[in-house]
Every structure is written in structure tokens, then in C-alpha cells.
């Protein structure tokens, strides 16, 4: 059983699990500590220096709460004049280097930087002094599914760590140094030339609007279901607007996938409403495909199966089908069609 730790944050009694950071304990209790580079699924790196807190008593010091573990009897203050002063300068430096065209950003109102700036507040005069001309760094539009806008990036490294720690791909990293630092593929090459697998896990975790899905549309309602692409059974939440699928995201509550999706599950939903999608059987007649009813199509298939029994026949089963359907299909191939020519797409 996990050992419980009692501490005080801003005078409130907090019970945390041993091994937890002060930031996680505070957030679980509903106490907001500003943060940008923290993500609960990733190793902390302490890059943004916004999550400062003051520890009182025998351990008295100012620390970053995303890397400091809770201790029994600890007394923590998250808001003091000294912390406020440091945080405000940190926020102003980040905002001064950030594209502030928020109304044209898909993350507007959902942006972690907006929340931090709103909480901490900024000194307008100092910000005006710090503000640099817009960076206008080239946007990486090379990936077919998403766009990376370095002018909106806060260099929190969440995308880099997601690609490394969660996906184990290491397609991106920080390139250049100092003011020129940015996230890119190896050798500052575009995403498409890296070994990015387009899973989109980095987009999900980007706290600002630097990584966004192309043609993103906000749904009016969402439907929880299971991804239909393979047999893994990943949970997917599909977004619907005007009776069309407009988005897909991982279902955090699904025990098989825990919120993660691959490129197919995340971006492969557009076929559903595609005008070229076949919605009824087609049979070739006089060299042209014509629409027919299901009875006619299935009779044709059954007749041709009957004429092609034995080793002339081969079946490839599908990972989209259930275990039971796959079992029945191999049984059908062996017992009815009289051949062992049966395989499965997942063996590839
Ligand atoms: Fe702790 Fe960024 S969240 S340093």
C-alpha cells in the first residue's frame, strides 16, 4: 500500500502519496501552481521555472515544485511576494518572445500560457520594453496531419519528451542554442524528413498552440467508441459536428490504450464522410462497376467460392475482425473450402 504523507500547502491540510511532487499534490487538492513544462505522464525537467514554491521551517528555501518531493510535516507556500516577483519576470520573458495573435490560435482560451499569465499578471511597461519584434520563424507544415508553429512554442520540451519517453521514437529535439533554440527534426530538418510516425501524441500534450491538427474543427458533441482500425481495441472519442466526424482523441479511461492513439486512430477518420466512400456493393458488369443489392452481391460471391474450392482458394483474415470471426474464417477456409491457404494480416 502507498505510504501517505501529510503536509500543509497555503495553510490547507493535504494528504499526498509518498514519491509525489509538491506540484502533483497541490494540483490533486485543487490548488493551482502556475506551470508550463510539467506533464503528469512525463519526467519533470524544471525548464520553465514557474512552479516555484517556498518551503518553510527547517527546510526553508524556494524550490521548483515539479521536481521536489513531498515530505511529512512540510509547510509550503505557493504565493509569496518574492515568488510572485520571480514568476512575473519569467512569464513576461516568455510572453515577450511569443506570438500574441491569440484570436487566430486554435488553443485560444485553452492555452496554458494564457492561464499562467492571467494568474501571475504582467507589468505592461516592462513587457513593452521586453517585447521583441515578431519572430516570424518559418512554420513547419511538412507533416500531412499537423502544423508546427515555432513562433508559438514556449520551449517547454513536452513534445520532445513525449516523442522520447512515451513513443520511444526520438524524432524531434531542441536544435540551435540561446535565442535561436527551437524544436525540430534532426539537423533542423522538417518533421516529414524525420522519423516521426505522425501519432500526434505531441499535439495532444502541447500546452500552447504551437502544434495543431490541420483543418481542426471543434465538435458540438462527442461519442466514446473503440477504434475500428485494428484488433488492439484502443478507446477513441470521436467529435461530431453537423452530423459529420470532425475530430478524434484518445480515451484516457480505456484500459488498453490509456488515451493513446496511433496515426490511423487519430487522423484516419475522414474516410467516413468522404464522398468517394463506397456505401453499397459494386459488381463488375460488361467491364463497368455497377451498384447492386447485398443479396445479389453475396450470391455472386457464394457461387464463385463453390466453383473455386481446394488450393485454388486462399483467405486472408483481418485484424479488424474479432477473435471469434477470425476463428470462424479459418474454420470455413479449412472445412468448407478444403485448403490450408489461410493467413492473417497481423502477421505482417
Ligand atoms: Fe516546474 Fe516548469 S513546471 S519548472
Amino acid at each position: 500500500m502507498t505510504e501517505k504523507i501529510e503536509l500543509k500547502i497555503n495553510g490547507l491540510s493535504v494528504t499526498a502519496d509518498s514519491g509525489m511532487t509538491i506540484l502533483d499534490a497541490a494540483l490533486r487538492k485543487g490548488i493551482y501552481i502556475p506551470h508550463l513544462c510539467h506533464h503528469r505522464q512525463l519526467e519533470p525537467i524544471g525548464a520553465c521555472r514557474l512552479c516555484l514554491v517556498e518551503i518553510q521551517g527547517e527546510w526553508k528555501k524556494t524550490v521548483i515544485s515539479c521536481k521536489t518531493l513531498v515530505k511529512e510535516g512540510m509547510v509550503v507556500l505557493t504565493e509569496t511576494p518574492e515568488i510572485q516577483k520571480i514568476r512575473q519576470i519569467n512569464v513576461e520573458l516568455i510572453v515577450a518572445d511569443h506570438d500574441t495573435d491569440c484570436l487566430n490560435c486554435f488553443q485560444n482560451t485553452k492555452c496554458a500560457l494564457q492561464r499562467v499569465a492571467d494568474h501571475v499578471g504582467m507589468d505592461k511597461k516592462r513587457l513593452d520594453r521586453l517585447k521583441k519584434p515578431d519572430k516570424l520563424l518559418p512554420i513547419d507544415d511538412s507533416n500531412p496531419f499537423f502544423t508546427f508553429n515555432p513562433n508559438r512554442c514556449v520551449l517547454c520540451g513536452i513534445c520532445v519528451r513525449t516523442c522520447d519517453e512515451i513513443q520511444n521514437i526520438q524524432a524531434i529535439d531542441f536544435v540551435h542554442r540561446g535565442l535561436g533554440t527551437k524544436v525540430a527534426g534532426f539537423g533542423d530538418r522538417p518533421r516529414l524528413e524525420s522519423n516521426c510516425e505522425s501519432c500526434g501524441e505531441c499535439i495532444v500534450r502541447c500546452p500552447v498552440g504551437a502544434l495543431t491538427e490541420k483543418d481542426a474543427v471543434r465538435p458540438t458533441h462527442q461519442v466514446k467508441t473503440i477504434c475500428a482500425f485494428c484488433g488492439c481495441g484502443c478507446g477513441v472519442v470521436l467529435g461530431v459536428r453537423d452530423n459529420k466526424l470532425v475530430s478524434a482523441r484518445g480515451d484516457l479511461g480505456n484500459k488498453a490504450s490509456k488515451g493513446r492513439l496511433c496515426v490511423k486512430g487519430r487522423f484516419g477518420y475522414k474516410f467516413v464522410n468522404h464522398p468517394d466512400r463506397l456505401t453499397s456493393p459494386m459488381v463488375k458488369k460488361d467491364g463497368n462497376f455497377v451498384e447492386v443489392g447485398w443479396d445479389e452481391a453475396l450470391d455472386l460471391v457464394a457461387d464463385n467460392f463453390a466453383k473455386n474450392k481446394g488450393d485454388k482458394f486462399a483467405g486472408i483474415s483481418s485484424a479488424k475482425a474479432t477473435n471469434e470471426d477470425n476463428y470462424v474464417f479459418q474454420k470455413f477456409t479449412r472445412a468448407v473450402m478444403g485448403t490450408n491457404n489461410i493467413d492473417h494480416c497481423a502477421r505482417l
Side-chain angles (χ1 to χ4, degrees):
M1 210 174 80
T2 324
E3 195 197 333
K4 296 290 175 200
I5 306 273
E6 299 293 335
L7 69 157
K8 287 225 183 293
I9 304 181
N10 297 344
L12 295 171
S13 299
V14 174
T15 306
D17 300 332
S18 75
M20 230 180 187
T21 64
I22 297 174
L23 180 59
D24 282 331
L27 293 176
R28 196 168 78 173
K29 179 76 179 172
I31 302 167
Y32 177 65
I33 300 176
H35 57 275
L36 271 185
C37 68
H38 163 80
H39 192 284
R40 64 193 159 73
Q41 294 166 324
L42 301 169
E43 284 298 315
I45 54 165
C48 72
R49 318 308 278 185
L50 290 167
C51 67
L52 294 170
V53 295
E54 189 178 297
I55 301 176
Q56 299 196 301
E58 57 171 311
W59 301 298
K60 184 168 171 59
K61 58 183 166 186
T62 303
V63 295
I64 46 171
S65 59
C66 67
K67 287 194 89 163
T68 310
L69 300 185
V70 291
K71 282 193 188 144
E72 188 64 36
M74 213 176 216
V75 179
V76 178
L77 292 179
T78 69
E79 308 284 338
T80 67
E82 193 191 341
I83 288 173
Q84 168 66 7
K85 211 158 100 193
I86 304 170
R87 259 194 209 142
Q88 205 173 37
I89 291 175
N90 287 353
V91 176
E92 286 161 4
L93 283 168
I94 297 169
V95 172
D97 202 29
H98 188 80
D99 179 345
T100 44
D101 185 13
C102 294
L103 287 181
N104 278 317
C105 177
F106 194 69
Q107 276 293 86
N108 189 27
T109 74
K110 295 183 169 50
C111 169
L113 182 58
Q114 283 179 339
R115 183 168 186 198
V116 167
D118 181 50
H119 181 90
V120 177
M122 289 179 289
D123 182 304
K124 168 107 177 56
K125 276 203 198 122
R126 198 166 45 210
L127 187 61
D128 287 346
R129 259 200 334 271
L130 288 169
K131 186 84 188 123
K132 303 193 191 86
D134 283 346
K135 288 190 279 187
L136 298 179
L137 291 170
I139 291 171
D140 183 352
D141 212 18
S142 60
N143 186 287
F145 307 109
F146 62 86
T147 300
F148 172 61
N149 183 346
N151 305 297
R152 292 184 180 149
C153 177
V154 289
L155 299 174
C156 64
I158 287 179
C159 55
V160 174
R161 283 176 285 149
T162 298
C163 197
D164 178 21
E165 294 172 30
I166 295 194
Q167 294 303 99
N168 207 6
I169 304 286
Q170 298 102 21
I172 48 173
D173 207 338
F174 293 107
V175 297
H176 307 306
R177 286 289 175 269
L179 289 177
T181 307
K182 65 171 190 161
V183 175
F186 182 70
D188 199 2
R189 294 212 191 88
R191 298 293 197 280
L192 199 62
E193 290 175 32
S194 73
N195 52 346
C196 169
E197 292 185 355
S198 302
C199 64
E201 289 292 323
C202 53
I203 308 177
V204 178
R205 290 175 182 78
C206 178
V208 291
L211 282 161
T212 45
E213 185 176 341
K214 284 183 178 169
D215 309 320
V217 173
R218 293 226 192 275
T220 49
H221 69 280
Q222 303 190 56
V223 182
K224 237 187 219 193
T225 183
I226 301 293
C227 177
F229 273 105
C230 78
C232 288
C234 297
V236 59
V237 183
L238 295 173
V240 182
R241 181 163 172 163
D242 191 21
N243 212 25
K244 291 191 176 66
L245 286 189
V246 294
S247 66
R249 64 178 171 84
D251 174 8
L252 282 168
N254 182 287
K255 292 203 169 82
S257 53
K258 300 189 178 120
R260 288 166 62 187
L261 290 175
C262 73
V263 57
K264 293 181 285 180
R266 189 175 315 282
F267 300 116
Y269 57 83
K270 290 192 177 142
F271 73 92
V272 175
N273 299 110
H274 199 283
D276 291 349
R277 183 179 170 192
L278 294 183
T279 51
S280 52
M282 309 279 281
V283 167
K284 207 172 219 179
K285 291 183 177 171
D286 301 326
N288 293 315
F289 279 111
V290 288
E291 249 181 51
V292 296
W294 281 103
D295 284 346
E296 184 181 337
L298 290 172
D299 283 349
L300 182 71
V301 171
D303 288 348
N304 278 316
F305 276 13
K307 285 185 212 149
N308 290 285
K309 287 193 170 184
D311 284 344
K312 281 193 282 183
F313 183 88
I316 299 223
S317 200
S318 169
K320 285 189 195 180
T322 62
N323 282 344
E324 290 77 8
D325 284 345
N326 278 304
Y327 175 80
V328 167
F329 188 58
Q330 66 81 29
K331 204 72 186 162
F332 170 80
T333 305
R334 291 197 167 102
V336 179
M337 300 306 291
T339 176
N340 289 324
N341 291 338
I342 170 75
D343 210 337
H344 188 277
C345 73
R347 240 166 45 81
L348 293 173

